[in-house]
Amino acid sequence: MTEFDAWLEHGPYALKRDEKRQHLLARMRRLTEHHQQNCEPYRNMLQGLGCDVTRLNQLEDVPFLPVSLFKTLSLQSVPEEEVVKTMTSSGTTGQQVSRIFLDKMTAARQQKTLVRIVSHFTGAGRLPMLILDTPAVMKDRNMFSARGAGILGFSMFGSERCWALTESMDLDVEGISAFLERHQGKPILLFGFTFMVWQHFYQALKASGKSLNLENGILIHGGGWKKLQSQAVSAAEFADALHSVCGIKNISDYYGMVEQTGCIYMQCEQGHLHASIFSDVIVRDPRTLSPCPPGQPGIIQVLSTIPESYPGHSLLTEDEGIILGEDDCPCGRAGKYFRILGRLKNAEIRGCSDTYAAEF
């Protein structure tokens, strides 16, 4: 059994602070050494920083790359012939996008990790799945970036899948009704990107004057709140509005990025985003980049145990956030829990929801 397979044996929120930090630090050291040996630009950056991997004594010491670096540099730690997939981030027209090179092992681990995290919230079995998007996203290569990859990734959790929107982004109420009729009384998994859920599902359903029964629904959505925040729609109002048109109560946001696919941060019943055993979050002071204590806002750094084919295991994002606590969330899950406050000033728009909304 490999080190990573052993990790999969644990529940995704089972390790408390000391045990998690011990395992995670060992993994971060190994990944840093691996990328130092196999990715020349990364090696040069560590040399420039004067980084000695043997002196990484705590998670906060692990060197990080700015996430935007993947837009301008081709960073990979495996030979070209071992790359099986290149993923790109979402971006508005004309914007540079990140390019992430995956080998077979890293791609498989992304999938296994995503299954472990999401099934903790949805249950072990596959569910009938309503995708709150258009099938056109899977056909048009210009649309198939993080958005298509996100839909494909979450489609693993669906048994029969139904697209809620037509190719022209209109709500297919009749199609959805027929789908719900076939699965009456069963839990239904819904997946979509936040702004599209609001604009093309909630508002379209409300305008139609029709209703759908999704009392048994579990909605997972992500991709950013920038557009809805500009419309003064809070998370609570988002949930209340959806409940008013279809009765859904079980709604979870998530935070994640294509540069660390698989390690998503799911929102619990208390409204908190949680780091699983596969990842961690550090908040850094925007002026000094030193770690912030819980309760102090700063720039989010994300750590992931997965990336072996590219040096993406420790990244400084362009998002602001705040650590709310660790191991003591009332939901009972161990690990850090936090909140995203928004994008840094002057940072480019990113996220499937926000980039779509920017051109809407």
mmCIF file of all heavy atoms in Angstrom, residues 9 15 27 50 84 87 103 141-142 148 165 188-189 199 230 259 275 292 304 318 322-323 329 349 358:
data_model
loop_
_atom_site.group_PDB
_atom_site.id
_atom_site.type_symbol
_atom_site.label_atom_id
_atom_site.label_comp_id
_atom_site.label_asym_id
_atom_site.label_seq_id
_atom_site.Cartn_x
_atom_site.Cartn_y
_atom_site.Cartn_z
ATOM 1 N N GLU A 9 -7.486 5.567 3.624
ATOM 2 C CA GLU A 9 -8.169 4.699 4.577
ATOM 3 C C GLU A 9 -8.844 5.498 5.690
ATOM 4 O O GLU A 9 -9.763 5.022 6.351
ATOM 5 C CB GLU A 9 -7.159 3.722 5.208
ATOM 6 C CG GLU A 9 -6.548 2.742 4.229
ATOM 7 C CD GLU A 9 -7.575 1.743 3.716
ATOM 8 O OE1 GLU A 9 -8.239 1.113 4.547
ATOM 9 O OE2 GLU A 9 -7.710 1.609 2.483
ATOM 10 N N LEU A 15 -8.834 13.354 11.195
ATOM 11 C CA LEU A 15 -7.595 13.647 11.923
ATOM 12 C C LEU A 15 -7.639 15.014 12.590
ATOM 13 O O LEU A 15 -7.932 16.019 11.947
ATOM 14 C CB LEU A 15 -6.399 13.587 10.968
ATOM 15 C CG LEU A 15 -6.171 12.263 10.233
ATOM 16 C CD1 LEU A 15 -4.885 12.334 9.412
ATOM 17 C CD2 LEU A 15 -6.104 11.097 11.205
ATOM 18 N N ARG A 27 4.371 14.639 4.181
ATOM 19 C CA ARG A 27 3.976 14.589 2.772
ATOM 20 C C ARG A 27 4.458 15.849 2.020
ATOM 21 O O ARG A 27 4.937 15.762 0.887
ATOM 22 C CB ARG A 27 2.447 14.469 2.683
ATOM 23 C CG ARG A 27 1.875 14.464 1.277
ATOM 24 C CD ARG A 27 2.212 13.200 0.529
ATOM 25 N NE ARG A 27 1.597 13.187 -0.789
ATOM 26 C CZ ARG A 27 2.003 12.425 -1.791
ATOM 27 N NH1 ARG A 27 3.017 11.585 -1.619
ATOM 28 N NH2 ARG A 27 1.411 12.462 -2.959
ATOM 29 N N GLY A 50 16.574 30.309 -1.276
ATOM 30 C CA GLY A 50 17.468 29.761 -0.259
ATOM 31 C C GLY A 50 16.789 28.694 0.574
ATOM 32 O O GLY A 50 17.084 28.541 1.768
ATOM 33 N N VAL A 84 -1.050 12.903 -19.406
ATOM 34 C CA VAL A 84 -2.239 12.312 -20.034
ATOM 35 C C VAL A 84 -3.370 13.333 -20.179
ATOM 36 O O VAL A 84 -4.337 13.098 -20.905
ATOM 37 C CB VAL A 84 -2.760 11.097 -19.234
ATOM 38 C CG1 VAL A 84 -1.728 9.984 -19.238
ATOM 39 C CG2 VAL A 84 -3.134 11.478 -17.801
ATOM 40 N N MET A 87 -5.216 20.403 -17.920
ATOM 41 C CA MET A 87 -6.414 21.128 -17.495
ATOM 42 C C MET A 87 -6.133 22.632 -17.530
ATOM 43 O O MET A 87 -4.994 23.059 -17.313
ATOM 44 C CB MET A 87 -6.821 20.718 -16.082
ATOM 45 C CG MET A 87 -7.152 19.246 -15.977
ATOM 46 S SD MET A 87 -7.615 18.779 -14.307
ATOM 47 C CE MET A 87 -9.192 19.585 -14.173
ATOM 48 N N ASP A 103 -0.332 13.554 -14.882
ATOM 49 C CA ASP A 103 -0.006 12.196 -15.303
ATOM 50 C C ASP A 103 -1.122 11.274 -14.790
ATOM 51 O O ASP A 103 -2.051 11.714 -14.103
ATOM 52 C CB ASP A 103 1.383 11.772 -14.777
ATOM 53 C CG ASP A 103 1.446 11.706 -13.256
ATOM 54 O OD1 ASP A 103 0.472 12.111 -12.589
ATOM 55 O OD2 ASP A 103 2.475 11.254 -12.721
ATOM 56 N N ARG A 141 -15.136 23.191 -27.094
ATOM 57 C CA ARG A 141 -13.832 23.163 -26.430
ATOM 58 C C ARG A 141 -13.489 24.509 -25.802
ATOM 59 O O ARG A 141 -12.698 24.590 -24.866
ATOM 60 C CB ARG A 141 -12.733 22.771 -27.435
ATOM 61 C CG ARG A 141 -12.908 21.398 -28.030
ATOM 62 C CD ARG A 141 -13.062 20.297 -27.008
ATOM 63 N NE ARG A 141 -11.918 20.140 -26.124
ATOM 64 C CZ ARG A 141 -11.860 19.269 -25.138
ATOM 65 N NH1 ARG A 141 -12.893 18.492 -24.874
ATOM 66 N NH2 ARG A 141 -10.782 19.173 -24.383
ATOM 67 N N ASN A 142 -14.093 25.593 -26.328
ATOM 68 C CA ASN A 142 -13.829 26.897 -25.722
ATOM 69 C C ASN A 142 -14.457 27.007 -24.342
ATOM 70 O O ASN A 142 -14.055 27.808 -23.514
ATOM 71 C CB ASN A 142 -14.360 28.024 -26.619
ATOM 72 C CG ASN A 142 -13.567 28.125 -27.898
ATOM 73 O OD1 ASN A 142 -12.358 27.939 -27.900
ATOM 74 N ND2 ASN A 142 -14.259 28.397 -28.994
ATOM 75 N N GLY A 148 -16.168 22.481 -17.525
ATOM 76 C CA GLY A 148 -16.447 21.131 -18.016
ATOM 77 C C GLY A 148 -15.826 20.075 -17.124
ATOM 78 O O GLY A 148 -16.437 19.040 -16.840
ATOM 79 N N LEU A 165 -30.585 22.629 -18.217
ATOM 80 C CA LEU A 165 -30.666 23.721 -19.180
ATOM 81 C C LEU A 165 -30.498 23.188 -20.599
ATOM 82 O O LEU A 165 -29.786 22.203 -20.826
ATOM 83 C CB LEU A 165 -29.578 24.762 -18.900
ATOM 84 C CG LEU A 165 -29.478 25.308 -17.467
ATOM 85 C CD1 LEU A 165 -28.377 26.363 -17.382
ATOM 86 C CD2 LEU A 165 -30.800 25.904 -17.009
ATOM 87 N N ILE A 188 -31.983 13.308 -4.638
ATOM 88 C CA ILE A 188 -31.502 13.776 -5.943
ATOM 89 C C ILE A 188 -30.276 14.655 -5.710
ATOM 90 O O ILE A 188 -30.320 15.572 -4.883
ATOM 91 C CB ILE A 188 -32.579 14.624 -6.669
ATOM 92 C CG1 ILE A 188 -33.895 13.854 -6.821
ATOM 93 C CG2 ILE A 188 -32.053 15.117 -8.026
ATOM 94 C CD1 ILE A 188 -33.854 12.719 -7.803
ATOM 95 N N LEU A 189 -29.196 14.394 -6.431
ATOM 96 C CA LEU A 189 -28.004 15.245 -6.352
ATOM 97 C C LEU A 189 -28.087 16.322 -7.434
ATOM 98 O O LEU A 189 -28.348 16.011 -8.606
ATOM 99 C CB LEU A 189 -26.743 14.399 -6.567
ATOM 100 C CG LEU A 189 -25.420 15.174 -6.621
ATOM 101 C CD1 LEU A 189 -25.135 15.874 -5.298
ATOM 102 C CD2 LEU A 189 -24.258 14.226 -6.983
ATOM 103 N N GLN A 199 -29.063 32.427 -11.773
ATOM 104 C CA GLN A 199 -29.615 33.102 -12.952
ATOM 105 C C GLN A 199 -30.500 32.181 -13.795
ATOM 106 O O GLN A 199 -31.597 32.557 -14.193
ATOM 107 C CB GLN A 199 -28.460 33.621 -13.827
ATOM 108 C CG GLN A 199 -28.896 34.485 -15.001
ATOM 109 C CD GLN A 199 -29.347 35.865 -14.547
ATOM 110 O OE1 GLN A 199 -28.911 36.349 -13.502
ATOM 111 N NE2 GLN A 199 -30.238 36.477 -15.304
ATOM 112 N N SER A 230 -22.344 41.439 -5.894
ATOM 113 C CA SER A 230 -22.617 42.755 -6.492
ATOM 114 C C SER A 230 -24.123 43.006 -6.572
ATOM 115 O O SER A 230 -24.566 44.146 -6.659
ATOM 116 C CB SER A 230 -21.996 42.844 -7.891
ATOM 117 O OG SER A 230 -22.724 42.064 -8.821
ATOM 118 N N GLU A 259 -6.013 24.295 -10.080
ATOM 119 C CA GLU A 259 -4.613 24.013 -9.756
ATOM 120 C C GLU A 259 -4.491 22.988 -8.631
ATOM 121 O O GLU A 259 -3.408 22.435 -8.417
ATOM 122 C CB GLU A 259 -3.891 25.313 -9.342
ATOM 123 C CG GLU A 259 -3.719 26.322 -10.470
ATOM 124 C CD GLU A 259 -4.944 27.213 -10.655
ATOM 125 O OE1 GLU A 259 -5.958 26.972 -9.952
ATOM 126 O OE2 GLU A 259 -4.895 28.133 -11.491
ATOM 127 N N ALA A 275 -11.322 22.168 5.674
ATOM 128 C CA ALA A 275 -10.160 21.500 5.086
ATOM 129 C C ALA A 275 -10.217 20.027 5.482
ATOM 130 O O ALA A 275 -10.374 19.700 6.651
ATOM 131 C CB ALA A 275 -8.866 22.130 5.601
ATOM 132 N N CYS A 292 -1.192 34.309 9.694
ATOM 133 C CA CYS A 292 -2.113 35.048 10.567
ATOM 134 C C CYS A 292 -2.732 34.097 11.591
ATOM 135 O O CYS A 292 -2.995 32.933 11.273
ATOM 136 C CB CYS A 292 -3.253 35.666 9.762
ATOM 137 S SG CYS A 292 -2.749 36.886 8.548
ATOM 138 N N SER A 304 -1.962 20.886 -0.751
ATOM 139 C CA SER A 304 -2.642 19.684 -1.228
ATOM 140 C C SER A 304 -1.665 18.518 -1.245
ATOM 141 O O SER A 304 -0.499 18.671 -1.642
ATOM 142 C CB SER A 304 -3.202 19.900 -2.638
ATOM 143 O OG SER A 304 -3.622 18.671 -3.196
ATOM 144 N N GLU A 318 -5.175 34.153 -4.804
ATOM 145 C CA GLU A 318 -5.469 35.590 -4.869
ATOM 146 C C GLU A 318 -6.804 35.871 -4.162
ATOM 147 O O GLU A 318 -7.509 36.811 -4.499
ATOM 148 C CB GLU A 318 -5.513 36.035 -6.329
ATOM 149 C CG GLU A 318 -4.152 35.880 -7.013
ATOM 150 C CD GLU A 318 -4.185 36.148 -8.498
ATOM 151 O OE1 GLU A 318 -5.244 35.914 -9.128
ATOM 152 O OE2 GLU A 318 -3.161 36.576 -9.046
ATOM 153 N N ILE A 322 -10.406 33.991 6.085
ATOM 154 C CA ILE A 322 -10.180 34.066 7.533
ATOM 155 C C ILE A 322 -10.403 32.676 8.130
ATOM 156 O O ILE A 322 -11.375 31.997 7.786
ATOM 157 C CB ILE A 322 -11.131 35.123 8.159
ATOM 158 C CG1 ILE A 322 -10.855 35.321 9.625
ATOM 159 C CG2 ILE A 322 -12.597 34.784 7.944
ATOM 160 C CD1 ILE A 322 -11.599 36.540 10.199
ATOM 161 N N ILE A 323 -9.445 32.240 8.953
ATOM 162 C CA ILE A 323 -9.621 30.971 9.672
ATOM 163 C C ILE A 323 -10.573 31.216 10.841
ATOM 164 O O ILE A 323 -10.358 32.127 11.646
ATOM 165 C CB ILE A 323 -8.269 30.448 10.225
ATOM 166 C CG1 ILE A 323 -7.260 30.244 9.091
ATOM 167 C CG2 ILE A 323 -8.485 29.150 11.016
ATOM 168 C CD1 ILE A 323 -7.529 29.101 8.184
ATOM 169 N N CYS A 329 -15.540 22.853 15.156
ATOM 170 C CA CYS A 329 -16.784 23.268 14.490
ATOM 171 C C CYS A 329 -17.951 22.470 15.091
ATOM 172 O O CYS A 329 -17.827 21.255 15.312
ATOM 173 C CB CYS A 329 -16.686 23.016 12.978
ATOM 174 S SG CYS A 329 -18.201 23.481 12.087
ATOM 175 N N ILE A 349 -10.474 38.168 -12.397
ATOM 176 C CA ILE A 349 -11.628 37.331 -12.090
ATOM 177 C C ILE A 349 -11.285 35.896 -12.440
ATOM 178 O O ILE A 349 -10.667 35.626 -13.460
ATOM 179 C CB ILE A 349 -12.851 37.785 -12.912
ATOM 180 C CG1 ILE A 349 -13.293 39.165 -12.460
ATOM 181 C CG2 ILE A 349 -13.992 36.789 -12.795
ATOM 182 C CD1 ILE A 349 -14.363 39.758 -13.340
ATOM 183 N N ALA A 358 -19.059 37.398 -15.589
ATOM 184 C CA ALA A 358 -18.391 38.601 -16.086
ATOM 185 C C ALA A 358 -18.735 38.882 -17.539
ATOM 186 O O ALA A 358 -18.659 40.011 -18.010
ATOM 187 C CB ALA A 358 -16.882 38.452 -15.930
#
